[in-house]
Amino acid sequence: MSDTSTSTSGFDLRSSADLVAVDVCSVLAAGSPFVPFLGAQPIRLVLTLPLVLFFPGYVLLSALFPPGDGTTDDTRLDGFERVGFSVVASVLVVAAVALGLDGSGVGIRPVPVLFSTAGFTLLVSVVAAARRRPERRSVGFPSPKRTLRRFRIRRAETRLDSVLNVVLVLLLVAALVSIGTALGGLGRTESYTEFYLSTGNSSTAAPSAGVAAPDFDGSIGIENHEHSRVRYTVVVQHQRVRPNDPMSIRTRRTLTTRRVTLDAGDSRTIPYAVPSSVGGPHQRVVFLLYEGAVPPTPTVENADQEIHLWATRTANRSETTRGRG
């Protein structure tokens, strides 16, 4: 009577259970960004870490060096060697996938890398399963003794072997830490603060040709994209500069100071109108933004961000034209 678990094509599902498990986990890891429960940390890290650190190399080595059944000495790689080389091969595969995506114009982004790596793993696992010939498989599930024999660590025969084993372990730990740290940042966008002036119909983060400082009656906008709670301070100054050197400040006077604390993702607009006393050539109003403590003497140089408006439309128009060139 023939074994029903073996098809006429020679594929034995039981002997390829490890490859099936790898495929299932790869699919879960690739789909984790789109599933709310799986996309939360640290669950997403646990799922995606093996996909980029172990699975691609494991199926690749399984295809190149099919494991023996443990009853003879025909196993080409023992368990320790297979794990170590799987990590190294996985790093190379993921790097090649990332380069391919970058060259194709898709770009190196988390989701395409996960999908492409999972696709590679699924495809190569089919090849690996096909290479496990029927005569190399035992009937039924392997015994615990046979499994331990396959995944044993061979005793080092020379001092050089011992040193290489230590180096391999250190490389595995380094790869685990580095890739784990990188995956911990998946899904996090760049942190920044958006700072702008709004006049009702438009907003600007640069000198505006259409608005002079005395005419400004609008609001100061702040948006927190720093992924954490931030205390902001806005210092508004009236500055007089030298005629031929706008970077040289003759006098500065603080018009107002506003403080606001924003949680991650929050925004706030602060109504503000420039006093009518501000006007004349070689004068400007500077809006200085600070995250955290404010220096004793606020300046453009020590501010985190700054926006300035000249007291005359001509000066604003001239500076905007220079900036475009």
Side-chain angles (χ1 to χ4, degrees):
M1 181 179 295
S2 62
D3 188 357
T4 57
S5 65
T6 303
S7 65
T8 57
S9 62
F11 177 75
D12 188 350
L13 178 61
R14 290 178 297 180
S15 68
S16 302
D18 57 332
L19 299 177
V20 174
V22 165
D23 290 345
V24 172
C25 292
S26 298
V27 172
L28 290 176
S32 62
F34 306 99
V35 181
F37 175 74
L38 298 179
Q41 297 288 7
I43 298 177
R44 183 178 179 182
L45 178 62
V46 173
L47 289 174
T48 55
L49 185 60
L51 177 58
V52 298
L53 185 62
F54 183 72
F55 291 162
Y58 180 80
V59 297
L60 181 60
L61 289 180
S62 296
L64 295 176
F65 306 102
D69 60 8
T71 59
T72 64
D73 292 332
D74 65 344
T75 301
R76 306 184 191 182
L77 293 174
D78 66 14
F80 185 70
E81 292 172 341
R82 190 172 292 273
V83 171
F85 287 123
S86 294
V87 173
V88 175
S90 295
V91 173
L92 296 176
V93 168
V94 173
V97 168
L99 289 176
L101 291 174
D102 186 50
S104 64
V106 176
I108 304 176
R109 293 180 287 118
V111 172
V113 170
L114 290 178
F115 268 82
S116 300
T117 304
F120 173 89
T121 302
L122 294 175
L123 180 63
V124 178
S125 66
V126 174
V127 178
R131 291 208 62 195
R132 295 184 178 181
R133 300 185 301 274
E135 60 270 18
R136 298 178 60 91
R137 307 186 194 110
S138 58
V139 178
F141 290 99
S143 65
K145 182 178 180 180
R146 188 179 302 169
T147 302
L148 291 176
R149 182 180 177 183
R150 174 185 294 183
F151 287 92
R152 70 191 184 279
I153 300 177
R154 296 174 182 172
R155 178 178 300 178
E157 298 179 357
T158 65
R159 182 178 180 83
L160 179 60
D161 292 334
S162 300
V163 173
L164 291 178
N165 286 338
V166 173
V167 172
L168 181 58
V169 171
L170 293 178
L171 290 176
L172 290 177
V173 174
L176 180 64
V177 172
S178 60
I179 295 182
T181 302
L183 286 177
L186 287 179
R188 290 179 62 91
T189 57
E190 181 183 0
S191 59
Y192 66 96
T193 295
E194 186 172 354
F195 182 48
Y196 59 91
L197 301 179
S198 175
T199 57
N201 296 325
S202 62
S203 61
T204 180
S208 174
V211 179
D215 300 331
F216 180 78
D217 185 0
S219 59
I220 305 168
I222 305 173
E223 295 183 6
N224 180 7
H225 300 279
E226 302 287 351
H227 307 296
S228 62
R229 185 182 179 90
V230 180
R231 181 183 181 184
Y232 296 100
T233 302
V234 179
V235 178
V236 184
Q237 288 183 348
H238 173 213
Q239 298 180 349
R240 297 178 183 270
V241 301
R242 298 186 183 279
N244 298 324
D245 187 5
M247 299 302 296
S248 179
I249 309 301
R250 295 174 56 189
T251 62
R252 58 169 54 91
R253 176 171 62 94
T254 299
L255 298 177
T256 186
T257 300
R258 305 292 178 88
R259 295 179 175 84
V260 60
T261 301
L262 298 179
D263 292 327
D266 286 351
S267 62
R268 184 76 57 84
T269 56
I270 305 171
Y272 182 73
V274 175
S276 57
S277 59
V278 176
H282 314 303
Q283 299 181 41
R284 66 182 183 181
V285 175
V286 182
F287 300 82
L288 306 175
L289 178 68
Y290 293 90
E291 301 176 19
V294 179
T297 304
T299 64
V300 172
E301 289 74 20
N302 60 29
D304 293 302
Q305 295 188 50
E306 69 89 21
I307 306 173
H308 59 269
L309 294 176
W310 291 99
T312 61
R313 289 188 177 89
T314 303
N316 281 322
R317 185 177 297 108
S318 175
E319 181 164 335
T320 302
T321 302
R322 290 198 304 271
R324 290 176 181 173

